[in-house]
Amino acid sequence: MHLIVLIHGLHGYASDLDHIGRRIRASIGGDDATVFAPSCNHDKTEEGVVIQAARVADEVSAKLATMLQSPDVRTFAFVSLVGHSLGGLIARHVAMLLFPDPRVRLKHYVSIATPHLGSAWRSPLPPFVVQRFAGKTGSDLVLLDDDKDPLLLRMAASEQPWMAALAAFESRTMYACVAHDFSVGLETALAWPKNYLAQHPYHASFTTLALGLLASAPILSSIVPTALPQVLEVAHPISLSDLTDLEWIQLDPKGNIRNIIQSLNWLKWTRVAIFPTRPFLGHVDCVVKSESWCGRFGDSVVDHIVALFT
């Protein structure tokens, strides 16, 4: 028995991940797996990571109780968590809450364009904008929820239960847009100190991006040729010099982000880089938020995600 939980992001809805959900269901078939997208945080995503995760964990626990009632199933279920954007951070907190439950075996953790380092380091959005438009969640994301012990720092500390739960997953995968994601930058989505792929040849050409932008217009969408984004698994060693140079000292004086990067990288990750083919919209295209509007710009990413469950 396998419960696959899809968790939406800031100002999002469960329906944002409908396409991924349908694709996973179609690929796994049978009755051994259930795909579930909690709706408990609709219009409540500014209330902070902890409160949202508690709601999701309650829904997941109730779903598990229903699934395990049948005498034909085992006394436990595998649980996989897939989070888009903020949903990836919520998923890590949910994992910590579920980890002690003897009914749960953590299987796959998947984050898609998730700000693991928060939204203060190399973020497309200034911290004051994040706080202004995201409430308590914004404070969590810019590490200003607690001057001495921010939530994201605690979630990455080796001695804390969050990391024990994250380590318990059979696999951990991060997806990130290399460019054209104006909500979450590559560095924070892959827990990297810098963008090691800035000059990679898979970047879409100006012509490809221009055609992608034109195809966004409904009247042109059926006649303008477009290209799916390239998806590339990457394994780049993190250099200590990247964590100690002058820029780091100036922009991360407390060392919080440096500590998060070092802690998260003690675990084994599969990192997947996405090279969008439509400008500005990488954050929604990578999950095909709308099948009619995003499919041709994100289905290769969804293919890669679905393959994790088959």
Side-chain angles (χ1 to χ4, degrees):
M1 187 67 67
H2 187 185
L3 178 61
I4 301 166
V5 184
L6 310 180
I7 306 173
H8 66 78
L10 183 67
H11 299 146
Y13 296 91
S15 59
D16 295 347
L17 301 175
D18 276 355
H19 181 72
I20 290 180
R22 279 192 288 270
R23 291 285 309 279
I24 293 175
R25 288 187 192 97
S27 69
I28 55 181
D31 299 323
D32 287 339
T34 299
V35 180
F36 172 56
S39 59
C40 52
N41 288 320
H42 287 181
D43 301 318
K44 301 175 183 177
T45 60
E46 297 183 7
E47 296 179 6
V49 170
V50 172
I51 291 176
Q52 293 176 76
R55 293 193 194 106
V56 172
D58 285 345
E59 283 205 19
V60 172
S61 294
K63 190 75 173 178
L64 283 172
T66 301
M67 291 171 62
L68 296 175
Q69 280 180 348
S70 170
D72 299 327
V73 301
R74 292 170 289 185
T75 57
F76 70 90
F78 291 105
V79 175
S80 293
L81 302 177
V82 180
H84 175 232
S85 194
L86 175 67
L89 294 177
I90 294 171
R92 283 170 53 193
H93 195 91
V94 169
M96 184 271 290
L97 296 173
L98 295 178
F99 186 42
D101 190 331
R103 302 172 301 169
V104 172
R105 302 288 190 276
L106 297 174
K107 193 167 181 66
H108 300 303
Y109 170 80
V110 181
S111 68
I112 310 163
T114 290
H116 290 286
L117 310 182
S119 298
W121 173 251
R122 296 188 184 279
S123 171
L125 298 174
F128 76 89
V129 173
V130 177
Q131 284 187 287
R132 172 64 180 82
F133 290 100
K136 173 63 173 69
T137 299
S139 296
D140 290 344
L141 290 173
V142 296
L143 280 69
L144 292 177
D145 55 301
D146 187 316
D147 287 340
K148 295 182 179 179
D149 205 13
L151 175 64
L152 296 191
L153 182 62
R154 282 181 279 136
M155 286 175 64
S158 59
E159 71 278 6
Q160 295 283 358
W162 291 277
M163 285 297 283
L166 195 54
F169 282 96
E170 292 181 15
S171 74
R172 291 163 294 278
T173 307
M174 297 171 168
Y175 289 83
C177 294
V178 179
H180 306 294
D181 183 338
F182 288 89
S183 298
V184 178
L186 178 87
E187 295 90 341
T188 188
L190 293 186
W192 274 357
K194 63 187 295 185
N195 187 341
Y196 296 113
L197 302 173
Q199 304 302 319
H200 197 280
Y202 277 5
H203 279 281
S205 67
F206 175 80
T207 300
T208 298
L209 293 171
L211 289 172
L213 191 60
L214 284 173
S216 300
I219 194 171
L220 299 174
S221 61
S222 62
I223 59 175
V224 175
T226 57
L228 284 168
Q230 296 274 14
V231 181
L232 177 70
E233 292 189 16
V234 292
H236 195 291
I238 293 176
S239 169
L240 288 178
S241 64
D242 293 332
L243 295 166
T244 56
D245 62 21
L246 182 60
E247 184 180 20
W248 270 98
I249 295 171
Q250 291 175 332
L251 297 180
D252 184 34
K254 296 181 180 179
N256 288 339
I257 297 169
R258 180 167 59 251
N259 290 337
I260 295 172
I261 290 175
Q262 290 176 317
S263 294
L264 289 177
N265 280 282
W266 278 111
L267 299 176
K268 180 181 178 181
W269 292 90
T270 298
R271 287 178 166 88
V272 183
I274 303 164
F275 294 83
T277 53
R278 180 161 63 165
F280 315 123
L281 297 168
H283 197 69
V284 295
D285 284 347
C286 66
V287 292
V288 186
K289 186 174 179 180
S290 164
E291 290 181 344
S292 61
W293 197 55
C294 305
R296 68 174 76 187
F297 302 105
D299 258 337
S300 56
V301 182
V302 175
D303 288 344
H304 198 281
I305 295 168
V306 170
L308 297 173
F309 298 95
T310 57

